Amino acid sequence: QILGRGIFQTTNLEGGIYDLTLAERFGPLDNQALSLRTGARMFIQASSFMGVDWPQAVTYFGEVYRLYPGLRDATGVTAAQHYREALLNYGDMKAKETKLKDRCIAIDLWNEAAAISPLDNAYTAKYNSLFVECYPPTPTVDPFSLITPTPEAPTPEPSPTPRCRLAACSPNCAA
């Protein structure tokens, strides 16, 4: 019942947990059965946060998604799809924050959601708008403006000819 296979055409997590609990009375469950029961319990717990507490839904469905991404509920929605929905909604919540650093968290949440399934046009527009706000383009710098001209070395002035007190002292003296 947990997987919705065989005679069970739809998934019934609670019924599957019950069946495994009854089977456990007759003998120990194997690792696969124990794992599925744990996954079903985790899925049900994570589902309790959907639409009520998005940060908790992201936390709990994040765990279910990592361990049991294809596990489905009775409506046929997988853990991966629930996790994506929680990421998108939590991102929407963060995008409405007043501080920019808090709003920018939405970028990471939406990126993770896009890794599961591409964003639709509305989310792509929200993402692009917030991305420019969080990571504004840096101004381009003209590379030639960084070059400072080298000042020319001053030309030395000719040294004045020495003056002698007596013109007779040296032929090079100017009197």
Side-chain angles (χ1 to χ4, degrees):
Q1 286 191 33
I2 291 176
L3 296 177
R5 295 184 184 151
I7 62 170
F8 302 103
Q9 295 301 313
T10 59
T11 303
N12 180 356
L13 298 176
E14 294 88 353
I17 292 170
Y18 177 74
D19 288 347
L20 289 173
T21 303
L22 290 178
E24 197 172 31
R25 289 181 176 180
F26 298 103
L29 298 175
D30 65 359
N31 287 339
Q32 182 181 10
L34 290 170
S35 176
L36 285 173
R37 183 170 63 183
T38 300
R41 286 178 177 159
M42 290 172 66
F43 196 110
I44 292 167
Q45 184 177 16
S47 295
S48 69
F49 295 107
M50 290 296 285
V52 178
D53 188 347
W54 290 118
Q56 291 291 357
V58 165
T59 300
Y60 282 91
F61 264 115
E63 288 299 311
V64 178
Y65 170 68
R66 281 182 265 298
L67 299 170
Y68 312 96
L71 195 58
R72 299 176 183 277
D73 60 12
T75 63
V77 179
T78 66
Q81 292 167 315
H82 278 298
Y83 182 49
R84 182 179 183 276
E85 180 186 349
L87 287 165
L88 292 174
N89 283 291
Y90 186 34
D92 288 344
M93 196 172 99
K94 294 306 281 183
K96 293 176 185 171
E97 295 280 340
T98 55
K99 293 183 179 177
L100 180 63
K101 70 175 187 146
D102 294 335
R103 283 196 312 270
C104 293
I105 293 171
I107 295 291
D108 297 329
L109 294 166
W110 291 337
N111 268 334
E112 198 167 343
I116 297 168
S117 179
L119 299 177
D120 63 12
N121 291 340
Y123 272 103
T124 300
K126 284 192 229 182
Y127 178 91
N128 290 337
S129 173
L130 187 59
F131 189 87
V132 169
E133 191 177 333
C134 294
Y135 305 103
T138 56
T140 57
V141 177
D142 180 17
F144 295 107
S145 69
L146 299 176
I147 301 171
T148 55
T150 307
E152 293 186 22
T155 55
E157 293 184 22
S159 60
T161 52
R163 295 189 174 235
C164 298
R165 289 186 188 188
L166 296 172
C169 298
S170 169
N172 291 338
C173 282

